Amino acid sequence: VVILCYKAGEPIVDFVAETQRCIASLCDSYEIILVANYFENTNDTTPQVVKRMAANDAHIKYVAKPKEGMMGWDMRSGLEQATGKYICVIDGDGQFPIESIENCYKHIATDKYDLVKTYRVKREDGIYRKTISVVYNFLFTLLFPGLNSKDINSKPKLFTKVAYDKFKLESDDWFIDAEIMIKARRLKLRVFDFPVEFSK
């Protein structure tokens, strides 16, 4: 599980503990990769926090480099470290429910999908972002018929290592979620998504 931790600070500790309890109940062999890339000359304490967690738990690895890009670059730097048969990526801000990782895993392991993700049926992040998301997803439906996704940017996204190796991701910014879905369509991968509620 790759967790995007940008500027999360100490609160990421509880989120990681909750994530670890979830995935440890699913399998014995797992790794958690904490991505804490940072802008230099800021007071972001997240790199120190994730380094401390990794030092105390063999299941945890971290990436903390001066930023050379935005969210897409962060995601790619974490995904590049992943070695599992299945790879999951989720934001570390707690807006997506942790149990959605379990649901993703069960679907991909039992139903043989290449990529499983969520879509947000209830959002508590304000009318502006809801509106932007509706327009954004509508445009993608028009531009990429058969994309098979109700919510391009929703997480967690869980895919096989085989699928990830085929993606050859390039985006450095917020477009990376769209790039994943576009390439899944192009590669004719089996995709499944299910509903979740999105917190503040």
Side-chain angles (χ1 to χ4, degrees):
V1 177
V2 176
I3 302 177
L4 305 178
C5 307
Y6 175 61
K7 295 185 76 173
E10 286 291 341
I12 198 64
V13 175
D14 290 340
F15 183 84
V16 171
E18 192 177 352
T19 302
Q20 190 162 19
R21 283 193 292 272
C22 174
I23 60 178
S25 70
L26 300 175
C27 58
D28 296 325
S29 177
Y30 67 88
E31 62 188 4
I32 296 174
I33 301 168
L34 306 178
V35 183
N37 297 334
Y38 59 94
F39 286 109
E40 295 183 280
N41 303 315
T42 64
N43 60 356
D44 185 4
T45 61
T46 313
Q48 290 74 41
V49 174
V50 300
K51 183 177 182 180
R52 183 184 74 225
M53 284 192 286
N56 294 322
D57 192 326
H59 286 289
I60 297 175
K61 301 193 293 188
Y62 75 96
V63 181
K65 300 184 288 187
K67 285 174 74 69
E68 297 176 21
M70 300 308 287
M71 193 272 280
W73 186 79
D74 289 344
M75 189 191 294
R76 290 193 295 111
S77 66
L79 292 173
E80 287 165 3
Q81 303 300 315
T83 62
K85 179 180 178 181
Y86 302 107
I87 304 172
C88 179
V89 62
I90 190 171
D91 298 326
D93 57 13
Q95 288 186 275
F96 290 104
I98 292 295
E99 59 269 21
S100 58
I101 296 175
E102 178 180 359
N103 291 335
C104 282
Y105 178 75
K106 287 179 177 178
H107 281 295
I108 204 167
T110 59
D111 299 326
K112 306 302 180 185
Y113 291 107
D114 301 298
L115 189 159
V116 176
K117 59 180 285 296
T118 65
Y119 63 92
R120 293 166 285 190
V121 291
K122 181 180 179 183
R123 298 181 59 144
E124 297 183 10
D125 55 347
I127 189 66
Y128 174 76
R129 294 192 67 179
K130 290 179 187 176
T131 304
I132 292 295
S133 182
V134 168
V135 173
Y136 185 74
N137 285 294
F138 175 71
L139 289 174
F140 265 89
T141 301
L142 291 180
L143 292 170
F144 302 98
L147 194 60
N148 195 26
S149 178
K150 300 177 182 73
D151 189 350
I152 300 295
N153 289 343
S154 191
K155 295 185 185 71
K157 285 182 171 71
L158 193 152
F159 32 79
T160 65
K161 181 70 161 59
V162 172
Y164 166 69
D165 288 339
K166 292 177 180 178
F167 289 152
K168 302 190 186 308
L169 299 173
E170 301 175 8
S171 298
D172 284 340
D173 54 22
W174 293 96
F175 193 74
I176 193 163
D177 281 304
E179 182 185 359
I180 289 170
M181 299 312 298
I182 290 168
K183 288 185 173 177
R185 171 183 176 269
R186 184 180 301 161
L187 292 164
K188 295 181 171 58
L189 300 186
R190 295 190 69 224
V191 176
F192 177 78
D193 59 4
F194 60 90
V196 294
E197 295 187 2
F198 191 58
S199 302
K200 290 183 180 179

